[in-house]
Amino acid sequence: AQTVTQSQPEMSVQEAETVTLSCTYDTSESDYYLFWYKQPPSRQMILVIRQEAYKQQNATENRFSVNFQKAAKSFSLKISDSQLGDAAMYFCAYYGSSNTGKLIFGQGTTLQVKP
Amino acid sequence: GAVVSQHPSWVICKSGTSVKIECRSLDFQATTMFWYRQFPKQSLMLMATSNEGSKATYEQGVEKDKFLINHASLTLSTLTVTSAHPEDSSFYICSASGRAHEAVPDTQYFGPGTRLTVL
């Protein structure tokens, strides 16, 4: 069975600085997708970034980028120029072809942004 | 694009009553919808998966007679909590995935959630 692990329950970053959130996963599949979702205090889950496993190029979305290491099964999220609005709980998620559409979530990392 | 709405955003009910929560995909056709439950500061726990026109598939440990799911159309799914009790109080979130211009395939888009409080 696939698993997703986020080993950092809490992280903090100074405004305008860069922070990296870690995520590792375990799977025997070769075809899958990885996601980072953000859940601010409003509790609305927001898609931050999506990575297809077959793509070697790391996905980027403005200030958000990932470091996808397929062999190491690592999928970290880098937030550059952190803003107060980035404060949220971040979830790493896995979707595989055998999952019938289900997402497997990590435990989440709470990010605090200090002014 | 790829917007999912959920109604109501919060509800308070008495023990023993039933509560219905609606989940709608506003700008795409949702071939699959998902219902989650989330406790404070914890990850999302999948309750069930539903495909339009077919019965929902429940995760192990989820009572299907208590949490009734109907996916009547490609834009609407409902979760009914029957005979609610205080232990059913929680935050319920729906998500949808589909194939359309606004929705990236194999990606779940989430509703804003419903906070249920059972007195």
Side-chain angles (χ1 to χ4, degrees):
Chain A
Q2 299 86 11
T3 59
V4 177
T5 302
Q6 292 178 250
S7 58
Q8 306 155 316
E10 296 180 352
M11 292 281 286
S12 67
V13 63
Q14 207 71 33
E15 195 176 5
E17 297 292 306
T18 296
V19 65
T20 298
L21 307 184
S22 300
C23 173
T24 59
Y25 60 95
D26 190 25
T27 184
S28 58
E29 296 178 311
S30 58
D31 184 21
Y32 53 88
Y33 301 87
L34 295 164
F35 303 85
W36 278 99
Y37 284 91
K38 167 186 176 181
Q39 189 179 40
S42 68
R43 301 189 79 173
Q44 165 78 64
M45 292 283 285
I46 301 166
L47 176 64
V48 175
I49 205 161
R50 174 179 187 267
Q51 174 82 45
E52 292 96 332
Y54 66 86
K55 288 187 176 180
Q56 291 187 339
Q57 187 174 10
N58 290 323
T60 63
E61 284 290 341
N62 301 314
R63 298 182 294 107
F64 298 88
S65 61
V66 297
N67 183 2
F68 175 45
Q69 301 289 329
K70 190 171 184 179
K73 296 179 182 174
S74 171
F75 183 61
S76 61
L77 175 70
K78 185 172 82 170
I79 306 174
S80 304
D81 185 25
S82 297
Q83 300 176 359
L84 295 177
D86 295 333
M89 196 159 187
Y90 287 81
F91 292 98
C92 177
Y94 171 99
Y95 166 71
S97 54
S98 66
N99 281 12
T100 61
K102 298 179 189 179
L103 279 176
I104 298 172
F105 285 95
Q107 305 90 326
T109 296
T110 299
L111 177 66
Q112 181 186 25
V113 180
K114 299 178 180 178
Chain B
V3 178
V4 176
S5 70
Q6 201 171 328
H7 178 80
S9 56
W10 60 270
V11 57
I12 301 172
C13 69
K14 293 182 178 180
S15 186
T17 61
S18 294
V19 173
K20 180 183 283 188
I21 302 170
E22 289 189 351
C23 178
R24 293 181 184 273
S25 57
L26 299 185
D27 52 5
F28 68 101
Q29 292 186 326
T31 51
T32 309
M33 286 186 163
F34 305 84
W35 287 95
Y36 296 86
R37 185 172 180 176
Q38 186 183 33
F39 294 102
K41 297 188 178 182
Q42 292 189 23
S43 190
L44 280 69
M45 182 181 71
L46 181 65
M47 298 175 65
T49 302
S50 72
N51 295 293
E52 186 262 341
S54 60
K55 290 184 177 180
T57 301
Y58 291 81
E59 295 299 300
Q60 192 171 10
V62 177
E63 300 176 60
K64 60 182 179 182
D65 293 332
K66 180 166 195 58
F67 298 101
L68 300 179
I69 292 170
N70 188 316
H71 192 161
S73 75
L74 282 172
T75 59
L76 174 64
S77 177
T78 59
L79 167 68
T80 302
V81 184
T82 63
S83 185
H85 288 96
E87 57 265 30
D88 299 324
S89 298
S90 192
F91 192 68
Y92 292 88
I93 307 174
C94 73
S95 71
S97 64
R99 292 184 292 273
H101 170 69
E102 297 79 9
V104 177
D106 302 317
T107 298
Q108 288 187 29
Y109 297 90
F110 287 82
T114 297
R115 182 178 302 280
L116 171 62
T117 302
V118 185
L119 303 177

